[in-house]
Amino acid sequence: MIELKGIEKSFGDNKVLKGVSCSFEEGKVNFIIGKSGEGKTVLNKCMVGLVEVDAGHIYYGNEDFTSMDRWERKKVRTNIGMLFQGAALFDSMSVEENIQFPMKMFTSLTKGERDKKTEEILEQVGLQGKSKLYPSELSGGMKKRTGLARAIALNPKYLFVDEPNSGLDPVTSIMIDKLVKQLTQQYNMTTVVISHDMNSVIEIADTIHFMSKGEFVWSGDRKSILTAQHPLLNDFVFASQFMKEIKDKFK
Amino acid sequence: MPIFSSVGKYSILMGRVFSRPEKFRVYPQLIIREMDKIGLQSVGIVSLLVLFMGAVVAIQTASNIESGWIPRWTIGYTTRQSIILEFSSTVVCLIISGKVGSNIASEIGTMRISDQIDALDIMGINSASYLILPKIIAAVFIIPFLVLLAMFVGVAGGASIAILSGNVSFADFEYGAQYDFRIWDVAYSVIKTLFFAFIMTSVSSYHGYNTHGGALEVGQSSTRAVVYSIVIILVADFLLTQLLLL
Ligand SMILES: Nc1ncnc2c1ncn2[C@@H]1O[C@H](COP(=O)(O)OP(=O)(O)OP(=O)(O)O)[C@@H](O)[C@H]1O
Ligand SMILES: [Mg+2]
């Protein structure tokens, strides 16, 4: 479980996060949704420690991540996997080397054990036989899957996913979404997904937090999001004609 | 003053580069790869450069001492001294800075803008040390050898070109090239090189590491890396010369 208490963050005069509090549950896919520029990515970076918070606390389990030094954080981080928007694969390494990189750095597995594990993971994300390809030879969807494979290579307890399906076609998007959900349940991870894609939300979200102007203004699940009476949330969810029609049917 | 904040940021980055590295076992392989990139792949351009430098200095000296009261062996002496003292170290390092500096800055800058550095940090890896330390160690180790090679190629090769092209006679060169040879001059050059190697790799890495934005900014960082490396090497050359030769 990850718990946020009163997270604040400013860049100069621009107060991006204004006291975000919530908890993300284990074994569930927790969504953070919201319009562009509302501070979702900044919150994500605060949670993993790439950006320091101005105020507030972040707890991983019972441990206060915000007050840890670099070496204590390092221990927590070996339990964190993250899939970046652009996948952030290491260009100079093949698919296989990308996936094995965290294993090489943090475990004492032998080459045989690493190869076996890599093969298992590749099969899970549907990339059998692609292990020798380099990132420049992969499609967008394959990059995401490789990124996901690398993120789960050390069986993390926490998985962060920023915009899992930006730039992907609907079929590949749903495939990635389902993969995230399946891996979350299989490894009982606390997964945090940042998205503004309502399709993903309806498809896999267990809990949903709606961010507006640096705060969570609504929280709920994927059923309640369709019936919620929150004007800002309604504007976001029913931005498209298609969703409006679904809403009318739902009534 | 932006310069103070840059110096501060540079120092903090170097602090992280030299703090306890992740896993010693992975470093030798990284260092060897960098030695190949920084050192071996520069042998061609360095040899070419000093070969012609040596030849030009020999020919220029020859044409400047037509008057007769300066002995002809000055040609060999001048060529050797300029190659050993300045061309092999400073000029060669300036050339390597152009090649290696832009290479390092664009490599690290691309990793920055595509979140690869964040990915390392999130895994719990000290990205500064992992990416930059092997480059610094490799350069400080391998570039002095390039400079020694440059001395040899510059004097021997340069002389050969000047002699074979008929501009200078072998006798004019030979005596001077051996006259009053001091090993300290070679050491002086190599010592300077150690500093230059550190400057070019660390400064270029700094510019790459602090890239923000996109492909355009990567290009700008790599230009800045080369310009700053060159300027700082020239200033350091001046200071080191004062310090070592006086
Ligand atoms: N490093 C930074 N320095 C200054 N301002 C920043 C920085 N990072 C983000 N911001 C500002 O914080 C605000 C929120 O940005 P953020 O990237 O979190 O939005 P987002 O909700 O993720 O949007 P999107 O859905 O488009 O990704 C923006 O106004 C942005 O300008
Ligand atoms: Mg974002």
Side-chain angles (χ1 to χ4, degrees):
Chain A
M1 194 170 87
I2 303 171
E3 216 175 334
L4 308 181
K5 282 192 181 151
I7 303 298
E8 292 178 24
K9 178 71 198 175
S10 308
F11 293 104
D13 293 337
N14 180 11
K15 188 151 192 184
V16 180
L17 302 177
K18 299 167 188 160
V20 178
S21 300
C22 74
S23 61
F24 300 113
E25 293 162 47
E26 207 170 278
K28 293 202 169 156
V29 180
N30 304 277
F31 266 68
I32 299 174
I33 59 172
K35 284 192 297 190
S36 201
E38 302 279 19
K40 303 184 297 293
T41 298
V42 172
L43 179 63
N44 186 26
K45 287 189 173 173
C46 288
M47 284 195 277
V48 295
L50 287 174
V51 169
E52 291 303 322
V53 299
D54 296 337
H57 295 274
I58 298 157
Y59 296 92
Y60 281 89
N62 296 319
E63 295 173 290
D64 185 357
F65 187 69
T66 27
S67 62
M68 289 180 185
D69 66 21
R70 196 155 78 77
W71 299 105
E72 292 171 319
R73 281 187 181 191
K74 204 175 138 171
K75 277 198 212 103
V76 176
R77 279 180 169 155
T78 51
N79 283 318
I80 295 180
M82 176 150 177
L83 173 58
F84 286 84
Q85 190 162 347
L89 299 178
F90 302 123
D91 294 326
S92 57
M93 301 182 195
S94 66
V95 167
E96 181 180 70
E97 288 164 338
N98 263 285
I99 298 170
Q100 294 196 354
F101 181 75
M103 303 183 203
K104 271 191 193 158
M105 295 301 283
F106 295 107
T107 69
S108 45
L109 297 178
T110 62
K111 181 160 187 331
E113 290 165 334
R114 287 202 302 262
D115 286 346
K116 188 161 166 283
K117 180 115 206 257
T118 308
E119 213 161 290
E120 280 168 25
I121 298 178
L122 280 174
E123 205 178 301
Q124 268 182 325
V125 299
L127 283 176
Q128 305 96 308
K130 311 282 185 201
S131 61
K132 302 288 178 217
L133 295 181
Y134 279 82
S136 59
E137 300 167 312
L138 300 177
S139 72
M142 286 156 81
K143 279 186 191 160
K144 290 253 156 114
R145 280 185 273 168
T146 308
L148 202 51
R150 186 180 66 187
I152 60 163
L154 296 182
N155 295 347
K157 288 200 203 129
Y158 310 101
L159 179 65
F160 291 89
V161 187
D162 194 353
E163 310 275 356
N165 36 29
S166 61
L168 297 183
D169 67 86
V171 178
T172 314
S173 288
I174 288 180
M175 210 214 99
I176 300 276
D177 287 341
K178 290 203 164 140
L179 197 54
V180 169
K181 177 110 185 178
Q182 179 213 326
L183 293 169
T184 301
Q185 290 171 341
Q186 185 179 345
Y187 295 110
N188 198 31
M189 292 185 289
T190 304
T191 298
V192 178
V193 178
I194 291 174
S195 180
H196 32 214
D197 181 1
M198 278 312 294
N199 285 329
S200 310
V201 174
I202 300 298
E203 194 75 32
I204 60 164
D206 292 315
T207 70
I208 303 161
H209 302 276
F210 176 63
M211 180 173 254
S212 176
K213 309 233 161 40
E215 284 172 300
F216 285 156
V217 294
W218 181 88
S219 297
D221 60 25
R222 65 177 162 208
K223 288 218 180 75
S224 58
I225 198 170
L226 296 175
T227 52
Q229 296 298 321
H230 192 289
L232 285 175
L233 179 67
N234 286 354
D235 287 349
F236 180 84
V237 174
F238 304 109
S240 73
Q241 190 58 38
F242 178 66
M243 286 302 288
K244 280 188 195 118
E245 281 167 24
I246 288 184
K247 186 188 186 183
D248 293 337
K249 284 227 174 88
F250 203 76
K251 278 176 180 165
Chain B
M1 283 283 279
I3 184 161
F4 290 122
S5 102
S6 299
V7 170
K9 273 165 73 182
Y10 170 82
S11 312
I12 291 171
L13 181 65
M14 286 306 119
R16 287 187 54 205
V17 168
F18 288 100
S19 67
R20 199 162 93 207
E22 300 317 319
K23 198 168 188 179
F24 285 106
R25 210 151 50 76
V26 300
Y27 276 74
Q29 198 193 347
L30 295 173
I31 292 171
I32 288 170
R33 195 166 48 194
E34 294 300 333
M35 287 205 285
D36 174 51
K37 262 203 288 194
I38 296 171
L40 295 186
Q41 293 182 23
S42 302
V43 167
I45 179 87
V46 165
S47 307
L48 190 72
L49 175 83
V50 288
L51 201 60
F52 282 93
M53 284 285 178
V56 169
V57 173
I59 294 168
Q60 280 183 348
T61 317
S63 77
N64 277 312
I65 55 169
E66 291 299 323
S67 56
W69 55 271
I70 301 174
R72 298 292 296 171
W73 56 259
T74 311
I75 298 167
Y77 179 74
T78 310
T79 308
R80 187 199 76 208
Q81 285 303 81
S82 20
I83 292 285
I84 288 184
L85 289 178
E86 210 53 31
F87 286 118
S88 68
S89 53
T90 312
V91 176
V92 162
C93 282
L94 291 177
I95 294 294
I96 303 178
S97 295
K99 183 171 171 292
V100 170
S102 62
N103 198 314
I104 289 180
S106 56
E107 180 192 323
I108 297 183
T110 306
M111 292 190 73
R112 168 60 80 195
I113 63 160
S114 59
D115 291 334
Q116 293 175 51
I117 293 183
D118 284 350
L120 285 170
D121 284 329
I122 284 180
M123 286 177 195
I125 292 166
N126 176 352
S127 58
S129 163
Y130 180 80
L131 293 174
I132 301 174
L133 190 59
K135 295 188 198 305
I136 294 180
I137 293 177
V140 169
F141 184 80
I142 200 83
I143 293 181
F145 287 101
L146 272 181
V147 165
L148 291 173
L149 173 82
M151 289 176 187
F152 180 76
V153 174
V155 177
S160 312
I161 293 188
I163 294 164
L164 290 177
S165 63
N167 287 288
V168 178
S169 79
F170 181 74
D172 287 348
F173 204 90
E174 193 201 8
Y175 177 74
Q178 292 170 14
Y179 177 78
D180 191 26
F181 176 75
R182 283 168 302 177
I183 196 74
W184 163 247
D185 290 344
V186 174
Y188 154 82
S189 236
V190 169
I191 292 171
K192 286 205 299 186
T193 309
L194 298 174
F195 286 89
F196 298 162
F198 178 80
I199 291 169
M200 71 172 86
T201 41
S202 63
V203 168
S204 307
S205 300
Y206 167 80
H207 284 287
Y209 201 82
N210 286 301
T211 305
H212 298 286
L216 185 66
E217 283 79 6
V218 172
Q220 290 167 348
S221 294
S222 106
T223 309
R224 231 177 295 132
V226 175
V227 172
Y228 277 79
S229 299
I230 286 178
V231 171
I232 297 172
I233 285 178
L234 289 172
V235 174
D237 184 33
F238 173 72
L239 296 176
L240 287 168
T241 304
Q242 299 252 311
L243 215 71
L244 295 171
L245 282 193
L246 288 181

